[in-house]
Amino acid sequence: MTTRELVTDVTYLVASVLFILGLRSLTKPQTARRGMQLAALGMLAAICGTLVHHEIVSYGWVCVGLGVGTLIGWPLGTRVAMTAMPQRIAISHMFGALAATLVGVAEYYSHQLEGHALDRSVMGAVGFEVLFGALTVSGSFIAFAKLQELLPGRPLTFAGQNVLNLTLFAGALGLFVYLVVNPGAEWAFYSLVGLAFTIGLSMVLPIGGADMPVVVSLLNSYAGLAASATGFAIDNNVLIICGALDGASGFLLSILMSRAMNRSFANVLFGAFGSPPAAAGPSGPVREMRAISAEDAAATLAFARRVVVVPGYGLAVAQAQQLAREMADQIEKRGGDVKYAIHPVAGRMPGHMNVLLAEANVDYEKMVEMEEINEQFGSVDVAIVIGANDVVNPAAKRDPKSPIFGMPILDVDQARQVFVLKRGKGAGFAGIDNDLFFDEKTSLIFGDAKASLQQLVSEMKAL
Ligand code: NAP
């Protein structure tokens, strides 16, 4: 082993350990920032280890790549708003998968050019890489376009779409097997790449925009598997390790998200959830939500002993996290106790509420997970729901016909009094009514959450 190879191997080992420690730290909000720093350091080590690799032909091209990557990555990291994070992540997966696919195509092309086809085992790795890589590129791009509203967010469905998808996938598998047996068949290789791109499109187009976070994390897992296969194809250990970590963590995250929404994978991928709700028929008496003025709500809140803030997607839309914290400060100043209830899928991505509240410097100890806070709601004076809807909908417990039946929710209806901040009568992500808003202990403060909180805080300061 040459000194260069030793340096590369050692830095790859250090990078892999840093990735594992980084992932471990990401499991808790308190250590998540350090986790990102460790992972970034790991990536730096992996890049440095690769730069001393003896097979590098031209440092000039490597510098061009680094320059282009920095130009794209810098604004993605610094300019994108938190609410746009799901589409930001989708586009980074697209770039990662594009890199894996291009490496696979280059590996195949260069061997063909030299006149000797790939070994069967390497062909298996390269075939796997371009199959999962190319479908992740097009799938992630559609996910990005839906979340960014460049494409309609509703599921774009047509008769026989599941049959078409299965046929395309079976065709791709057939080509893959054919290639492993006949690695020199160029037509089969390039058809596989083209078919995989088409599968990505046809798989993600029928899924509703609101289900995209689960799809994005599943595609993340595919991109990881493609990267791992790249590692096998080009004999690169750090790619094998970090691709496998990425593949496994993306898959676990998709499962956890689906479970927290009480949905199965099949339902997310083939269920066209998130379609506009069917027009309501002439059913039941018309119910009214009871509004309360910010002045009256402020008087109750200011002197409440135990208050729980329940943040949801609307808080993120309104960017009202700082004001939520100011409101809590006002309550605490008068001796009240404030906690924040964190539902695992509140908002539009896992950890959305933790990140928002951390931005407003809320103490981690005050952010209480669902299971723990649910035991306490019975003794809470006021629960103040800020832009949350589905995650506090009692239909999940009471109505077996509800699409969210079985989804774990925050038991806000157990609190003595409930205030809800929302703009109007808009439904949540699931597009269904919420009985909590019509409950006799619930009062609504209508308006954009930021404006309502601003009013509440001013009223409390004036008391
Ligand atoms: P939600 O059910 O989407 O409800 C958000 C509520 O916020 C709406 O009722 C809306 O009512 C209100 N709102 C919107 N903008 C507002 C503003 N500027 N000011 C005040 N209110 C505003 O949100 P959630 O309770 O957080 O539930 C999240 C949902 O997303 C769940 O169904 C979950 O399954 C799903 N989901 C989550 C993830 C994840 O990883 N977190 C991933 C995929 C899907 P108005 O229009 O009347 O204001």
Side-chain angles (χ1 to χ4, degrees):
M1 183 183 271
T2 65
T3 318
R4 273 177 176 228
E5 281 167 348
L6 185 68
V7 171
T8 302
D9 280 354
V10 171
T11 40
Y12 281 179
L13 187 65
V14 171
S16 304
V17 171
L18 286 169
F19 289 142
I20 293 169
L21 292 177
L23 274 178
R24 197 180 138 81
S25 303
L26 282 172
T27 54
K28 286 198 197 79
Q30 290 88 326
T31 50
R33 193 181 291 267
R34 200 183 62 212
M36 287 306 293
Q37 288 160 351
L38 287 172
L41 203 62
M43 189 53 85
L44 184 67
I47 292 173
C48 293
T50 308
L51 286 177
V52 293
H53 206 284
H54 64 96
E55 272 178 320
I56 287 192
V57 184
S58 147
Y59 279 99
W61 280 110
V62 174
C63 288
V64 172
L66 281 176
V68 173
T70 309
L71 277 182
I72 298 173
W74 192 264
L76 281 182
T78 54
R79 298 237 177 123
V80 180
M82 272 307 300
T83 40
M85 210 39 81
Q87 53 266 51
R88 215 285 279 133
I89 294 169
I91 206 83
S92 352
H93 292 162
M94 189 195 83
F95 285 128
L98 184 64
T101 312
L102 289 177
V103 170
V105 172
E107 191 70 7
Y108 186 84
Y109 177 77
S110 57
H111 274 77
Q112 291 293 108
L113 207 63
E114 287 162 12
H116 53 92
L118 290 171
D119 282 351
R120 286 196 172 137
S121 58
V122 180
M123 185 66 246
V126 171
F128 189 87
E129 175 186 350
V130 293
L131 171 61
F132 278 88
L135 80 82
T136 305
V137 172
S138 52
S140 299
F141 183 74
I142 298 293
F144 161 78
K146 285 199 173 208
L147 289 164
Q148 191 62 31
E149 294 175 4
L150 302 174
L151 280 175
R154 66 175 193 283
L156 298 174
T157 51
F158 52 89
Q161 95 209 3
N162 288 340
V163 176
L164 175 78
N165 284 349
L166 284 176
T167 313
L168 290 175
F169 201 70
L173 273 185
L175 283 173
F176 173 77
V177 173
Y178 183 82
L179 268 168
V180 174
V181 181
N182 307 289
E186 279 189 32
W187 67 268
F189 181 77
Y190 293 108
S191 307
L192 178 65
V193 178
L195 204 54
F197 268 113
T198 320
I199 293 173
L201 297 178
S202 68
M203 195 176 82
V204 181
L205 274 173
I207 302 175
D211 262 346
M212 281 307 143
V214 182
V215 175
V216 167
S217 105
L218 194 62
L219 289 169
N220 170 23
S221 154
Y222 292 169
L225 293 178
S228 202
T230 312
F232 280 109
I234 62 172
D235 200 14
N236 183 308
N237 291 337
V238 81
L239 266 180
I240 297 176
I241 297 172
C242 75
L245 289 173
D246 194 13
S249 52
F251 191 64
L252 285 176
L253 184 60
S254 314
I255 292 178
L256 290 175
M257 276 161 105
S258 301
R259 198 175 289 164
M261 292 157 73
N262 194 35
R263 312 265 310 279
S264 67
F265 252 10
N267 187 255
V268 171
L269 295 177
F270 308 113
F273 195 78
S275 334
S283 63
V286 178
R287 300 183 296 172
E288 283 300 328
M289 297 181 188
R290 202 156 48 90
I292 186 174
S293 68
E295 196 182 350
D296 290 346
T300 308
L301 274 173
F303 300 103
R305 295 290 88 197
R306 301 199 64 193
V307 176
V308 172
V309 176
V310 181
Y313 178 61
L315 180 83
V317 176
Q319 283 294 293
Q321 58 274 31
Q322 192 60 44
L323 281 159
R325 152 100 207 260
E326 282 181 35
M327 180 196 67
D329 288 347
Q330 287 298 318
I331 300 169
E332 285 169 341
K333 219 172 75 182
R334 292 176 171 83
D337 171 70
V338 183
K339 292 204 172 95
Y340 299 78
I342 306 293
H343 189 284
V345 290
R348 289 293 182 270
M349 59 181 177
H352 202 166
M353 296 302 121
N354 301 79
V355 175
L356 274 183
L357 296 174
E359 268 181 10
N361 293 323
V362 170
D363 277 352
Y364 292 121
E365 290 75 45
K366 291 187 181 163
M367 302 183 204
V368 188
E369 298 298 327
M370 181 172 63
E371 290 78 15
E372 198 182 330
I373 199 81
N374 273 348
E375 290 168 8
Q376 302 174 20
F377 270 116
S379 59
V380 164
D381 297 321
V382 187
I384 173 156
V385 177
I386 310 178
N389 191 338
D390 294 349
V391 299
V392 295
N393 191 339
K397 284 191 169 163
R398 296 182 199 150
D399 180 5
K401 289 201 209 91
S402 169
I404 60 165
F405 184 68
M407 168 171 147
I409 55 155
L410 291 163
D411 295 330
V412 171
D413 56 344
Q414 307 286 312
R416 294 191 187 117
Q417 197 168 358
V418 180
F419 292 149
V420 177
L421 273 63
K422 71 201 293 290
R423 293 165 307 179
K425 296 181 178 168
F429 160 82
I432 50 171
D433 267 355
N434 190 334
D435 282 349
L436 177 75
F437 301 157
F438 301 96
D439 195 293
E440 57 186 20
K441 61 173 119 168
T442 304
S443 309
L444 280 288
I445 304 170
F446 287 112
D448 176 75
K450 196 169 191 173
S452 301
L453 280 168
Q454 183 72 67
Q455 259 183 303
L456 273 175
V457 171
S458 318
E459 293 289 349
M460 287 164 95
K461 281 184 180 163
L463 282 172

